[in-house]
Short mmCIF file of all heavy atoms in Angstrom, two decimals:
data_model
loop_
_atom_site.label_atom_id
_atom_site.label_comp_id
_atom_site.label_asym_id
_atom_site.label_seq_id
_atom_site.Cartn_x
_atom_site.Cartn_y
_atom_site.Cartn_z
N GLN S 21 -33.66 -0.41 179.19
CA GLN S 21 -33.42 -1.59 178.36
C GLN S 21 -33.52 -1.26 176.87
O GLN S 21 -32.74 -1.76 176.06
CB GLN S 21 -34.41 -2.70 178.72
CG GLN S 21 -34.19 -3.29 180.11
CD GLN S 21 -35.30 -4.24 180.51
OE1 GLN S 21 -36.49 -3.94 180.32
NE2 GLN S 21 -34.93 -5.38 181.07
N LYS S 23 -32.85 1.64 175.52
CA LYS S 23 -31.64 2.39 175.19
C LYS S 23 -30.45 1.44 175.03
O LYS S 23 -29.61 1.63 174.13
CB LYS S 23 -31.34 3.42 176.27
CG LYS S 23 -32.33 4.58 176.32
CD LYS S 23 -31.96 5.58 177.41
CE LYS S 23 -32.93 6.77 177.42
NZ LYS S 23 -32.58 7.75 178.48
N LEU S 41 -21.81 2.80 177.01
CA LEU S 41 -22.81 2.99 178.06
C LEU S 41 -22.18 3.09 179.46
O LEU S 41 -22.90 3.35 180.44
CB LEU S 41 -23.81 1.83 178.04
CG LEU S 41 -24.72 1.77 176.81
CD1 LEU S 41 -25.42 0.42 176.72
CD2 LEU S 41 -25.75 2.88 176.84
N THR S 49 -25.39 -7.65 179.35
CA THR S 49 -25.94 -8.94 178.91
C THR S 49 -27.13 -9.34 179.77
O THR S 49 -28.16 -9.79 179.27
CB THR S 49 -24.86 -10.04 178.98
OG1 THR S 49 -23.77 -9.68 178.12
CG2 THR S 49 -25.42 -11.39 178.56
N TYR S 76 -37.44 -9.91 165.39
CA TYR S 76 -38.12 -9.39 166.57
C TYR S 76 -37.30 -8.25 167.21
O TYR S 76 -37.85 -7.24 167.65
CB TYR S 76 -38.36 -10.51 167.59
CG TYR S 76 -38.96 -11.75 166.97
CD1 TYR S 76 -38.26 -12.96 166.97
CD2 TYR S 76 -40.21 -11.71 166.37
CE1 TYR S 76 -38.80 -14.10 166.39
CE2 TYR S 76 -40.76 -12.84 165.77
CZ TYR S 76 -40.04 -14.03 165.78
OH TYR S 76 -40.58 -15.14 165.18
N VAL S 81 -36.12 -2.43 168.23
CA VAL S 81 -35.20 -1.29 168.03
C VAL S 81 -35.89 -0.18 167.25
O VAL S 81 -35.79 1.01 167.62
CB VAL S 81 -33.92 -1.75 167.30
CG1 VAL S 81 -33.11 -0.53 166.82
CG2 VAL S 81 -33.06 -2.61 168.21
N ASP S 83 -39.17 0.57 166.77
CA ASP S 83 -40.19 1.28 167.54
C ASP S 83 -39.63 1.85 168.84
O ASP S 83 -40.10 2.88 169.34
CB ASP S 83 -41.37 0.35 167.86
CG ASP S 83 -42.23 0.09 166.64
OD1 ASP S 83 -41.89 0.63 165.55
OD2 ASP S 83 -43.22 -0.65 166.74
N GLU S 92 -37.42 11.63 175.44
CA GLU S 92 -36.40 12.67 175.57
C GLU S 92 -36.96 14.04 175.19
O GLU S 92 -36.65 15.05 175.83
CB GLU S 92 -35.20 12.32 174.69
CG GLU S 92 -34.40 11.13 175.23
CD GLU S 92 -33.23 10.74 174.34
OE1 GLU S 92 -33.17 11.26 173.19
OE2 GLU S 92 -32.40 9.93 174.77
N LYS S 97 -39.03 19.29 176.87
CA LYS S 97 -40.15 20.23 176.85
C LYS S 97 -40.54 20.65 178.27
O LYS S 97 -40.77 21.83 178.56
CB LYS S 97 -41.35 19.61 176.15
CG LYS S 97 -42.52 20.55 175.96
CD LYS S 97 -43.63 19.87 175.15
CE LYS S 97 -44.79 20.82 174.93
NZ LYS S 97 -45.88 20.18 174.14
N TYR S 102 -40.36 24.50 182.79
CA TYR S 102 -39.99 24.79 184.18
C TYR S 102 -39.03 25.96 184.24
O TYR S 102 -39.18 26.88 185.05
CB TYR S 102 -39.37 23.55 184.83
CG TYR S 102 -38.83 23.81 186.22
CD1 TYR S 102 -39.68 23.85 187.32
CD2 TYR S 102 -37.46 24.04 186.42
CE1 TYR S 102 -39.19 24.11 188.59
CE2 TYR S 102 -36.96 24.29 187.69
CZ TYR S 102 -37.83 24.33 188.77
OH TYR S 102 -37.34 24.60 190.03
N TYR S 104 -38.59 28.30 182.04
CA TYR S 104 -39.28 29.53 181.62
C TYR S 104 -40.09 30.11 182.78
O TYR S 104 -40.14 31.33 182.96
CB TYR S 104 -40.19 29.21 180.44
CG TYR S 104 -40.89 30.42 179.86
CD1 TYR S 104 -40.30 31.15 178.83
CD2 TYR S 104 -42.14 30.83 180.32
CE1 TYR S 104 -40.93 32.26 178.29
CE2 TYR S 104 -42.77 31.94 179.78
CZ TYR S 104 -42.16 32.64 178.76
OH TYR S 104 -42.79 33.74 178.23
N PRO S 115 -25.96 45.36 173.17
CA PRO S 115 -25.45 45.18 174.54
C PRO S 115 -25.85 46.26 175.53
O PRO S 115 -26.14 45.95 176.69
CB PRO S 115 -23.93 45.16 174.34
CG PRO S 115 -23.69 45.90 173.07
CD PRO S 115 -24.88 45.61 172.20
N GLN S 128 -34.29 45.86 191.19
CA GLN S 128 -35.71 45.68 191.53
C GLN S 128 -36.11 44.23 191.79
O GLN S 128 -37.05 43.97 192.52
CB GLN S 128 -36.59 46.26 190.40
CG GLN S 128 -36.28 47.71 190.05
CD GLN S 128 -36.46 48.63 191.24
OE1 GLN S 128 -37.32 48.41 192.09
NE2 GLN S 128 -35.65 49.69 191.30
N TYR S 129 -35.41 43.28 191.15
CA TYR S 129 -35.76 41.86 191.31
C TYR S 129 -34.51 41.04 191.59
O TYR S 129 -34.15 40.14 190.82
CB TYR S 129 -36.45 41.34 190.04
CG TYR S 129 -37.70 42.07 189.64
CD1 TYR S 129 -37.67 43.05 188.65
CD2 TYR S 129 -38.92 41.77 190.23
CE1 TYR S 129 -38.83 43.72 188.26
CE2 TYR S 129 -40.09 42.43 189.85
CZ TYR S 129 -40.02 43.40 188.87
OH TYR S 129 -41.18 44.06 188.48
N HIS S 136 -29.95 35.66 179.68
CA HIS S 136 -30.11 36.55 178.53
C HIS S 136 -29.33 36.02 177.33
O HIS S 136 -28.42 35.19 177.46
CB HIS S 136 -29.60 37.96 178.87
CG HIS S 136 -28.18 38.00 179.33
ND1 HIS S 136 -27.11 38.03 178.47
CD2 HIS S 136 -27.66 37.97 180.58
CE1 HIS S 136 -26.00 38.05 179.15
NE2 HIS S 136 -26.29 38.02 180.44
N ASP S 160 -34.66 47.18 168.32
CA ASP S 160 -34.49 48.58 167.93
C ASP S 160 -35.70 49.10 167.15
O ASP S 160 -35.59 50.06 166.39
CB ASP S 160 -33.21 48.78 167.12
CG ASP S 160 -33.12 47.87 165.90
OD1 ASP S 160 -34.04 47.06 165.69
OD2 ASP S 160 -32.13 47.98 165.16
N PRO S 187 -9.02 70.32 166.04
CA PRO S 187 -9.66 71.39 165.26
C PRO S 187 -11.19 71.41 165.36
O PRO S 187 -11.80 72.46 165.17
CB PRO S 187 -9.22 71.10 163.83
CG PRO S 187 -7.93 70.37 163.97
CD PRO S 187 -8.06 69.56 165.22
N HIS S 225 -11.00 56.86 156.86
CA HIS S 225 -10.30 55.60 157.12
C HIS S 225 -10.38 55.31 158.63
O HIS S 225 -10.24 56.22 159.45
CB HIS S 225 -8.84 55.68 156.69
CG HIS S 225 -8.67 55.90 155.22
ND1 HIS S 225 -8.85 54.90 154.28
CD2 HIS S 225 -8.37 57.03 154.52
CE1 HIS S 225 -8.65 55.39 153.08
NE2 HIS S 225 -8.37 56.69 153.18
N VAL S 228 -8.88 49.87 163.09
CA VAL S 228 -9.57 48.97 164.02
C VAL S 228 -8.53 48.22 164.84
O VAL S 228 -7.69 47.50 164.28
CB VAL S 228 -10.48 47.98 163.26
CG1 VAL S 228 -11.18 47.04 164.25
CG2 VAL S 228 -11.51 48.73 162.43
N LYS S 236 -5.84 51.83 173.86
CA LYS S 236 -5.76 52.93 174.81
C LYS S 236 -4.51 53.78 174.58
O LYS S 236 -4.53 55.01 174.69
CB LYS S 236 -5.78 52.38 176.24
CG LYS S 236 -7.12 51.80 176.65
CD LYS S 236 -7.06 51.24 178.07
CE LYS S 236 -8.42 50.68 178.49
NZ LYS S 236 -8.37 50.10 179.86
N ILE S 237 -3.40 53.12 174.24
CA ILE S 237 -2.16 53.85 173.95
C ILE S 237 -2.34 54.74 172.73
O ILE S 237 -1.96 55.92 172.73
CB ILE S 237 -0.99 52.86 173.73
CG1 ILE S 237 -0.66 52.14 175.04
CG2 ILE S 237 0.24 53.59 173.20
CD1 ILE S 237 0.36 51.02 174.89
N ILE S 253 -20.93 57.39 177.40
CA ILE S 253 -20.17 58.58 177.81
C ILE S 253 -20.12 58.77 179.33
O ILE S 253 -19.06 59.10 179.88
CB ILE S 253 -20.73 59.85 177.13
CG1 ILE S 253 -20.31 59.85 175.65
CG2 ILE S 253 -20.25 61.12 177.81
CD1 ILE S 253 -20.93 60.97 174.83
N THR S 268 -25.58 64.61 164.48
CA THR S 268 -27.00 64.96 164.39
C THR S 268 -27.79 64.21 163.34
O THR S 268 -29.02 64.32 163.30
CB THR S 268 -27.15 66.47 164.12
OG1 THR S 268 -26.45 66.80 162.91
CG2 THR S 268 -26.58 67.28 165.28
N PHE S 276 -34.35 51.93 171.50
CA PHE S 276 -34.52 50.53 171.86
C PHE S 276 -35.82 50.36 172.65
O PHE S 276 -36.18 51.22 173.46
CB PHE S 276 -33.34 50.04 172.69
CG PHE S 276 -32.06 50.00 171.92
CD1 PHE S 276 -31.13 51.01 172.06
CD2 PHE S 276 -31.79 48.96 171.05
CE1 PHE S 276 -29.94 50.99 171.35
CE2 PHE S 276 -30.60 48.93 170.33
CZ PHE S 276 -29.68 49.95 170.48
N TYR S 277 -36.48 49.23 172.41
CA TYR S 277 -37.79 48.98 173.01
C TYR S 277 -37.79 47.65 173.74
O TYR S 277 -37.16 46.68 173.32
CB TYR S 277 -38.87 48.97 171.92
CG TYR S 277 -39.01 50.29 171.21
CD1 TYR S 277 -38.19 50.60 170.13
CD2 TYR S 277 -39.93 51.25 171.64
CE1 TYR S 277 -38.28 51.84 169.49
CE2 TYR S 277 -40.04 52.47 170.99
CZ TYR S 277 -39.21 52.76 169.92
OH TYR S 277 -39.31 53.98 169.29
N SER S 286 -45.98 40.87 184.77
CA SER S 286 -45.92 41.06 186.23
C SER S 286 -44.53 40.78 186.78
O SER S 286 -44.16 41.27 187.85
CB SER S 286 -46.94 40.15 186.92
OG SER S 286 -46.67 38.79 186.64
N HIS S 294 -38.95 52.24 186.58
CA HIS S 294 -37.65 52.77 186.99
C HIS S 294 -36.67 52.90 185.82
O HIS S 294 -35.46 53.03 186.03
CB HIS S 294 -37.04 51.85 188.05
CG HIS S 294 -37.83 51.78 189.31
ND1 HIS S 294 -37.70 52.69 190.33
CD2 HIS S 294 -38.80 50.90 189.72
CE1 HIS S 294 -38.53 52.39 191.31
NE2 HIS S 294 -39.21 51.30 190.97
#
Side-chain angles (χ1 to χ4, degrees):
Q21 292 172 315
K23 291 181 178 180
L41 292 166
T49 300
Y76 311 117
V81 168
D83 286 0
E92 289 178 349
K97 186 176 181 180
Y102 174 80
Y104 184 90
Q128 306 301 327
Y129 301 99
H136 57 84
D160 55 358
H225 297 284
V228 180
K236 290 179 179 179
I237 292 173
I253 286 173
T268 58
F276 294 100
Y277 297 85
S286 61
H294 297 275

